[in-house]
Amino acid sequence: MSTFGKGCHLHLIDGSAYIFRAFHALPPLTRKSDGLPIGAVAGFCNMIQRYVEDNHGPDAPTHVAVIFDKGSHTFRNDLYDQYKANREAMPEELRPQIPLTRVATEAFNIACKELEGYEADDIIATLACQAREAGGRVTIISSDKDLMQLVGGGVEMLDAMKNRRIDREGVMEKFGVPPERVVDVQALAGDSVDNVPGAPGIGIKTAALLINEFGDLENLLDRAEEIKQPKRRQTLIDMREQIELSKKLVQLDCDTPLDFSLDDLEVRDPDPEVLMPFLAEMEFRTLSRRIAEKLGVEAPVIADVPAPADTAVETPEMPSFDAAVHECVRDADSLRSWIAQIEERGWVAVDTETTGLNEMTADLVGISLCVEPGHACYIPLIHKAGATGDLFGSDDLAEGQMAVQDALDLLKPVLEDPAILKIGQNMKYDAKIFARYGIDVAPIDDTMLMSYALHGGLHGHGMDTLSERYLAHTPIPIKPLLGTGKSAITFDRVPIDDAVPYAAEDADVTLRLWQTFKPLLHRSRVTTVYETLERPLVPVLAQMERNGIKVDRDTLSRMSNAFAQKMAGLEAEIHELAGESFNVGSPKQLGEILFDKMGLEGGKRGKTGAYATGVDVLEDLATEHDLPARVLDWRQVSKLKSTYTDALQTHINPDTGRVHTSYSIAGASTGRLASTDPNLQNIPVRTEEGRRIREAFVAEPGNLLVSLDYSQIELRILAHIADIPALKQAFAEGLDIHAMTASEMFDVPMDKMTPDVRRKAKAINFGVIYGISGFGLARNLRIPRAEAQGFIDRYFERFPGIRAYMDDTKGFAREHGYVETLFGRRIHTPEISAKGPRAGFAQRAAINAPIQGTAADVIRRAMVRMPPVIEDLNAKMLLQVHDELLFEVAEDTVDEVIARAREVMEGAAHPAVRLDVKLTVDAGQGANWAEAH
DNA sequence: GACATCACG
DNA sequence: GACGTACGTGATGTCC
C-alpha cells in the first residue's frame, strides 16, 4: 500500500448533496415487490456509477471517499441553538433511503465516511487539510458554497451539476474575496439556508467590500468606528457578538477526530460479488444490466412481480364517428318519431344552438338530439336563407324548418318528463335557453360535471377536451362555420347543410361521453359528489343567474365621471413629477421613468426584461418619493373606473335592467364557483372608495338586499381537519381567532393584545391555509425571512397537528395523485411529483385544496337546499361569493329569510359530515350591497 | 395573445 | 442543497 503524498489526488464527494439531488430529480419510485421508496437510492447509484465511469482518464483520483452527515446535533448547535433551525424536515419517503445510500456506496467499494456529531463539511475540511499538507491534490465534489473556504493550495471544487471547476478565481467571483477570507464574508452576510444570523442588512456584496477595505474581520470589527456609513457602522458595533458567533458557525473544523487515514481511501475496483447482489436486492433492472456489462459479468435475474389485477374499465362498444348517421329533422312527423325513440329509451342527449354565448340574450337557433351513439339529429329552427359567405345574407328564414313553437310544443313534454333523463354538456346553458322559452328541463345529467367529479384538477372539461381524451375523436370545429373577428356570423346564418353535421355530432359526443363516464362515477367513489354537489346545483345556479341583480346605472355613471376627473388630475401631477408626459398605464414606460430616468433603487426586471412595477415595488418606493405614490392612486382609480363603473354598465341587460353573471361550475379546481361576464365575485370592498361601487347594487323598491356569510369558514375547517384542540376550543368559545393565535404564539395575554401582534398572527393563520413558507410570510409581513421562519416554527410547535396535516396531505397526494375534501370531492394533483419549483406549487396547492374545497362543498350544499326552504317567501337568491350568499327580499320578510337561510347554511355539512367546529353565519341587510355586507 | 397588474374570497 | 415561493379566481390595458 502506498502512502498518500505528492502525486496523489483525493476526491471527496459530498454524499448528502448527492442524495438530495437524486431525491428531487427523480419521480417517487418504489420497489416493485414491497413498495419501499427507492427513488433517491436509484438516483444516487446512477450518479455514483456515472462518476466511476467518468473518472478513468489520466487525471483519475488515486483516493476517493463519499462523506455523509451523521446525527442532527453538532457542536454548532451548542454554540447557537437556532443553527439550521429553519431547515425543512426530511421528507418521509426519504428517511428510510438514507441508510441504503451508505450500503450502496460500500457496494461500489468506495470508502464511506461519517462521524457522529460532525457535519460532512467538517470531515471534508479535515481530509482536505491533511491531503494538502501531504502535498497531494484534492477535488471536492459539491456545490455547497460553505466549502469554498477550503479552495487553494491544490484544493479545488467541482460543481458536478454544472460540471464547473471552482478554483481561487471562482471563489473570488462568488464571494469577492480569496478563499481564506470567505468565512469573514459569510460571518457578515449570514446565511438564510443554515440560519446563520450574520449582520442584519449586510449581504455578500457589502461584506466583501468591507473585508477588502479592512483586510480581515477582526481588523474590521476593531476599527468599526471608521466606517463612513452611519447605519452600517452602528450595525457592526452593535452586532459584534453575533458576527463573531456567525464566524464560528461557518468556520469549518480541520481537526475532526477521524478514526481512519487518507491511506484508507485508496481507489478500489468494485467487487461484482458484492455490487450485483445489492443492485438485485434493490430491483434496479436497467442499472444492474448496465453495470454488469461494464464489469463483464452476468446481469442478475430480478424476478418480475405480477402487476396488480387489471382494473381498466371496459368502455362501451360504440360505432365509429365515420359511420354515424346525423339526420336533419324538418317536420313534425320525423320529430315525433325521434320522440318515440326517446320515450322508449328513457334518456336523450340534448344540445342547443343559439345566436350567441349569453344565455340571457341569445335566441334558440336549433336543437340536436341523440339517443344512441352514432344516431343523432339536428332540428334547425330559425336558420336564415342566403348563400354562404354572403356578408349580409337575407333575413328571410331558410326553407324546410319547423316553426319554433311547433317544435317546442312537441318537445316540452319530453324535456319536462320526470321519467326521461336529459343529458347535456354544460346543461346549465341549455336549461337557461329553454327556460326563456317556457320549458323547465328536468331531470338532467351533465357530462361536464361528471368529468369534473371524476377528473377535477387533471384537465379542463370542455367538450373538445373530453372528446379527444376519452373518445379519441376531434369534434368538428365551430370556427370555420362562424368565422372570426369582425366578419364572424351567428349560428342562424350558418347554412343548414353545414349546421347538421356539426350540431348533431355535439349531441352524439355528449351521449358517448355520458356512457363512458356513467360507470366510472361509482368506481371512482365520486357518485355522491356528483349527485349532491354538482348535478343539483345546475337548476339552482340557472335560476340565480336568471334572477340577476339590479344595478343602478346613474350611480355608476356619476362615479365614472368623478373617477375620470380624478385620474386627469393625478395624471397631470405624475407628468409634472416625471418631467415628461408618458402613458401612466404602461408598466414598461413607468419602469423606465422610475429606474432609468429618475435612477431610483430597487429596479428588478421580470422575465420579459421589463422592470417590475407592482404594488409591492411602488409601495416601497412611495415612502421616499411622490411619483410612485401618485401612480398607486391613479392605478386604483383607473381600476375602479375601467373594470367596475364603466364595464358594469355595459352588462346591464336592457330587458331586465339587471346584471346577470354566469357561474362556471367546473372551472376552479378546488370546487369553488367562478363568476364571469361580469365577474361579480370581485366587486371592491377592501378600500372605502372601492366599497362605494357596491352602493350601485340595489334592491327593487319594497325590497332589501340580505347578505349572509360564513365567519372564518376555512380556519374552522382547518381546525377540524388538522384536529387542533386549541383552535377548536377558541371557535367554541367564540373568541377572536387571530388574537387567540397571537396570544398563544407570542405569549401575550388576550387583554394586552396589540393590533400589530394580532395582524402577524392573522397573516400566519392565512399562510397556513395556503401552504405556508418562510419566504412567503416574510414578504407578506415585510419582515426578515429568519424571523418569519421563527414564527412558523413556533406555530407548528404550538399547533403540532398543522404540520402533521401538511405532511399527511402531501403524502396522500403523492400516493394517490389526488387529495380529497371532507365530502369526498377529489382534486387531482398531477404535478405533485414534478421536479423543480413546480413541485413546491403542487404541494402548496395540495395542502390548500382540501380546506378551500371543503368550504366550497359546504356552501354548495347550502345553495342546493336553499330554494325549497325559501320557496314560500318573497325572496330570491342572487349571488354567491365563495363564503357569502346574497338575497333580494321583500322588506317584511327579511327576518324570516335570515333565520331560515342561516339555519340552512350553518347546518350545511350535516348529515354527511359532523364537524367538530360549529359553522357561524353573519347576516346584514340594506338597500344596497354596501349596507348589506 | 402574452404579460403585468389588481379586484375578490 | 438549490431554487423559487404563499391558495383559488377573472378583467383590463399595453405591447408585439
Side-chain angles (χ1 to χ4, degrees):
Chain A
M1 182 186 283
S2 66
T3 309
F4 191 94
K6 210 167 159 48
C8 289
H9 185 182
L10 171 65
H11 273 195
L12 294 169
I13 298 171
D14 182 350
S16 304
Y18 261 42
I19 296 172
F20 278 100
R21 235 166 62 211
F23 179 71
H24 289 297
L26 266 85
L29 308 173
T30 52
R31 185 158 64 183
K32 223 174 179 182
S33 62
D34 62 356
L36 179 76
I38 211 78
V41 184
F44 183 87
C45 290
N46 263 307
M47 289 160 78
I48 292 284
Q49 172 60 19
R50 212 171 326 135
Y51 166 81
V52 172
E53 285 174 18
D54 287 350
N55 281 283
H56 273 301
D59 198 30
T62 57
H63 296 69
V64 61
V66 182
I67 315 292
F68 293 96
D69 296 311
K70 185 165 190 191
S72 53
H73 193 94
T74 71
F75 69 93
R76 292 188 178 85
N77 296 102
D78 296 333
L79 286 171
Y80 180 56
D81 60 356
Q82 291 296 301
Y83 180 68
K84 291 202 175 180
N86 58 10
R87 272 288 159 86
E88 276 176 46
M90 183 180 294
E92 271 316 307
E93 316 87 270
L94 181 54
R95 200 176 296 279
Q97 302 190 61
I98 302 291
L100 288 173
T101 57
R102 314 287 200 269
V103 180
T105 310
E106 276 161 5
F108 277 94
N109 212 3
I110 296 174
C112 166
K113 297 297 177 190
E114 58 193 1
L115 187 61
E116 181 71 45
Y118 288 88
E119 292 185 47
D121 289 359
D122 295 312
I123 304 175
I124 291 173
T126 305
L127 290 169
C129 289
Q130 289 178 5
R132 179 158 48 194
E133 276 161 32
R137 280 179 61 207
V138 180
T139 299
I140 299 167
I141 296 158
S142 171
S143 49
D144 186 350
K145 59 189 181 321
D146 294 344
L147 290 164
M148 289 192 181
Q149 57 184 276
L150 300 171
V151 168
V155 179
E156 285 183 1
M157 284 179 68
L158 176 69
D159 185 338
M161 195 124 90
K162 296 176 187 137
N163 200 19
R164 204 166 66 96
R165 285 203 158 264
I166 300 163
D167 51 12
R168 281 181 72 90
E169 293 296 304
V171 175
M172 287 289 296
E173 215 173 279
K174 171 92 190 171
F175 279 100
V177 292
E180 55 274 17
R181 295 273 78 84
V182 163
V183 284
D184 292 350
V185 168
Q186 285 186 292
L188 287 168
D191 182 354
S192 59
V193 176
D194 291 345
N195 207 23
V196 171
I202 295 187
I204 289 184
K205 290 259 167 66
T206 313
L209 211 71
L210 290 167
I211 294 298
N212 283 326
E213 190 180 337
F214 288 85
D216 63 33
L217 184 65
E218 286 65 36
N219 201 21
L220 168 67
L221 292 175
D222 289 342
R223 294 166 48 201
E225 299 286 352
E226 300 168 25
I227 297 169
K228 290 173 209 79
Q229 298 84 345
K231 210 172 159 193
R232 215 174 268 177
R233 178 173 61 231
Q234 206 52 44
T235 304
L236 261 65
I237 293 169
D238 294 346
M239 294 288 156
R240 176 161 193 154
E241 236 172 81
Q242 183 172 309
I243 294 165
E244 285 170 337
L245 169 69
S246 297
K247 179 161 177 176
K248 285 186 189 147
L249 292 174
V250 297
Q251 177 84 56
L252 296 179
D253 181 359
C254 278
D255 293 309
T256 314
L258 301 177
D259 57 358
F260 59 91
S261 75
L262 289 173
D263 296 332
D264 298 329
L265 308 181
E266 222 174 343
V267 170
R268 294 161 294 188
D269 284 332
D271 178 357
E273 300 281 307
V274 179
L275 183 52
M276 299 324 292
F278 171 77
L279 297 173
E281 190 193 332
M282 294 292 110
E283 299 171 16
F284 297 154
R285 291 174 177 76
T286 315
L287 186 63
S288 61
R289 263 201 304 278
R290 200 173 101 208
I291 293 178
E293 200 179 307
K294 292 269 176 205
L295 296 178
V297 298
E298 191 89 348
V301 178
I302 301 168
D304 215 342
V305 185
D310 189 15
T311 50
V313 173
E314 296 164 44
T315 43
E317 287 278 313
M318 293 181 198
S320 90
F321 277 93
D322 301 333
V325 178
H326 292 158
E327 190 182 307
C328 183
V329 170
R330 295 179 177 276
D331 55 59
D333 279 346
S334 59
L335 180 52
R336 280 195 198 94
S337 101
W338 275 89
I339 288 171
Q341 292 180 58
I342 293 166
E343 284 171 340
E344 195 178 310
R345 290 265 182 358
W347 67 64
V348 59
V350 184
D351 186 34
T352 56
E353 304 302 335
T354 64
T355 52
L357 289 172
N358 183 342
E359 316 93 312
M360 291 302 297
T361 55
D363 290 324
L364 183 63
V365 173
I367 302 167
S368 318
L369 305 171
C370 177
V371 287
E372 64 180 283
H375 190 200
C377 72
Y378 178 62
I379 312 159
L381 297 172
I382 58 159
H383 283 260
K384 301 286 196 290
T388 319
D390 183 339
L391 205 55
F392 301 102
S394 153
D395 282 341
D396 299 335
L397 288 182
E399 294 286 309
Q401 301 183 84
M402 288 184 71
V404 174
Q405 204 50 55
D406 292 350
L408 292 181
D409 284 348
L410 286 173
L411 281 169
K412 182 175 161 90
V414 175
L415 294 173
E416 295 187 342
D417 187 339
I420 295 173
L421 182 66
K422 274 67 66 176
I423 301 153
Q425 163 73 14
N426 188 14
M427 200 58 164
K428 177 159 66 69
Y429 181 89
D430 306 275
K432 282 174 75 179
I433 296 291
F434 280 123
R436 287 201 9 250
Y437 290 84
I439 296 175
D440 190 8
V441 182
I444 60 111
D445 247 344
D446 191 325
T447 48
M448 180 181 80
L449 300 185
M450 287 178 160
S451 177
Y452 187 51
L454 287 166
H455 316 119
L458 282 183
H459 50 67
H461 312 283
M463 189 165 73
D464 290 355
T465 305
L466 298 181
S467 179
E468 276 162 30
R469 289 186 86 106
Y470 299 99
L471 305 176
H473 172 74
T474 305
I476 300 169
I478 184 85
K479 273 259 176 71
L481 298 184
L482 299 183
T484 53
K486 280 204 157 152
S487 58
I489 55 169
T490 47
F491 202 80
D492 55 332
R493 300 207 175 266
V494 172
I496 293 175
D497 288 349
D498 294 341
V500 170
Y502 165 82
E505 189 191 67
D506 275 3
D508 194 350
V509 166
T510 303
L511 189 73
R512 291 173 196 239
L513 287 173
W514 180 72
Q515 293 193 341
T516 308
F517 292 155
K518 196 79 186 162
L520 290 177
L521 285 174
H522 77 269
R523 275 179 216 250
S524 297
R525 309 283 184 269
V526 290
T527 304
T528 307
V529 168
Y530 173 71
E531 293 291 347
T532 61
L533 301 174
E534 321 287 2
R535 188 162 86 133
L537 203 57
V538 172
V540 176
L541 287 175
Q543 186 59 55
M544 287 170 68
E545 294 171 11
R546 282 167 51 76
N547 288 340
I549 183 166
K550 187 174 181 185
V551 172
D552 186 70
R553 185 188 295 276
D554 290 344
T555 305
L556 291 179
S557 177
R558 273 198 302 276
M559 287 181 176
S560 276
N561 292 335
F563 289 149
Q565 284 199 6
K566 191 164 176 186
M567 279 171 74
L570 284 166
E571 206 167 308
E573 213 176 322
I574 289 164
H575 291 164
E576 174 80 35
L577 285 165
E580 67 179 282
S581 111
F582 68 102
N583 185 347
V584 184
S586 163
K588 185 167 169 274
Q589 293 178 31
L590 175 66
E592 282 158 11
I593 296 274
L594 287 172
F595 301 113
D596 290 340
K597 182 170 177 192
M598 298 174 62
L600 300 190
E601 306 239 333
K604 278 200 197 119
R605 293 176 189 273
K607 53 184 161 189
T608 50
Y611 289 113
T613 67
V615 256
D616 287 2
V617 178
L618 294 192
E619 274 175 6
D620 284 342
L621 297 175
T623 57
E624 306 278 337
H625 301 272
D626 280 343
L627 194 146
R630 295 291 85 78
V631 172
L632 283 170
D633 294 340
W634 182 91
R635 281 208 185 143
Q636 199 199 357
V637 181
S638 160
K639 179 81 172 185
L640 293 177
K641 181 172 188 297
S642 66
T643 310
Y644 299 104
T645 56
D646 286 351
L648 222 38
Q649 294 185 57
T650 70
H651 284 284
I652 297 174
N653 182 304
D655 296 334
T656 64
R658 298 168 76 99
V659 171
H660 305 264
T661 184
S662 178
Y663 289 101
S664 66
I665 319 182
S669 61
T670 54
R672 272 194 178 181
L673 302 179
S675 161
T676 60
D677 310 303
N679 182 352
L680 294 186
Q681 290 181 322
N682 71 347
I683 303 302
V685 69
R686 291 176 188 171
T687 66
E688 180 52 39
E689 197 164 30
R691 188 157 50 238
R692 297 206 48 210
I693 304 234
R694 294 188 173 216
E695 292 172 8
F697 290 76
V698 295
E700 291 286 352
N703 289 262
L704 289 175
L705 292 182
V706 169
S707 161
L708 292 101
D709 69 292
Y710 285 106
S711 160
Q712 307 287 8
I713 186 167
E714 293 195 352
L715 274 175
R716 286 171 197 261
I717 287 166
L718 174 72
H720 172 92
I721 295 186
D723 192 15
I724 313 295
L727 286 180
K728 288 190 207 171
Q729 198 190 337
F731 280 123
E733 292 173 8
L735 299 181
D736 173 339
I737 198 67
H738 301 310
M740 188 291 276
T741 308
S743 164
E744 187 75 18
M745 283 189 54
F746 301 108
D747 296 319
V748 182
M750 290 286 276
D751 50 4
K752 296 251 170 60
M753 189 56 52
T754 66
D756 188 59
V757 174
R758 183 181 181 278
R759 181 182 64 92
K760 285 181 173 148
K762 184 175 176 181
I764 299 168
N765 275 333
F766 279 108
V768 165
I769 292 174
Y770 299 151
I772 200 157
S773 77
F775 186 92
L777 185 65
R779 207 178 50 150
N780 188 291
L781 286 175
R782 293 165 181 265
I783 57 174
R785 193 182 154 166
E787 193 183 339
Q789 188 60 48
F791 289 173
I792 294 170
D793 293 344
R794 175 80 132 258
Y795 191 96
F796 285 157
E797 211 174 281
R798 295 293 161 106
F799 310 109
I802 301 281
R803 170 166 262 164
Y805 163 72
M806 292 181 158
D807 289 342
D808 292 352
T809 306
K810 285 188 267 188
F812 188 95
R814 272 190 281 264
E815 188 180 335
H816 296 96
Y818 62 84
V819 293
E820 276 183 339
T821 66
L822 286 180
F823 298 91
R825 175 189 300 286
R826 292 183 179 183
I827 297 116
H828 289 85
T829 57
E831 299 225 295
I832 195 77
S833 301
K835 40 184 184 173
R838 297 213 315 244
F841 276 112
Q843 287 171 15
R844 291 192 296 273
I847 289 166
N848 173 259
I851 305 168
Q852 188 181 113
T854 298
D857 292 348
V858 166
I859 198 165
R860 280 185 183 223
R861 290 169 66 89
M863 292 170 73
V864 166
R865 292 180 191 178
M866 200 64 76
V869 171
I870 58 170
E871 190 182 32
D872 59 317
L873 301 176
N874 197 342
K876 284 187 279 202
M877 185 154 62
L878 307 185
L879 299 178
Q880 187 251 43
V881 192
H882 310 307
D883 63 357
E884 172 188 6
L885 292 175
L886 190 71
F887 298 81
E888 185 174 15
V889 183
E891 275 171 17
D892 57 354
T893 22
V894 165
D895 292 342
E896 183 63 17
V897 168
I898 290 177
R900 291 196 201 174
R902 174 178 272 145
E903 192 181 340
V904 169
M905 289 174 74
E906 292 184 344
H910 299 282
V913 169
R914 176 151 212 101
L915 291 173
D916 298 339
V917 181
K918 65 170 183 181
L919 296 178
T920 304
V921 168
D922 298 326
Q925 53 180 293
N928 62 59
W929 199 2
E931 288 175 25
H933 184 78

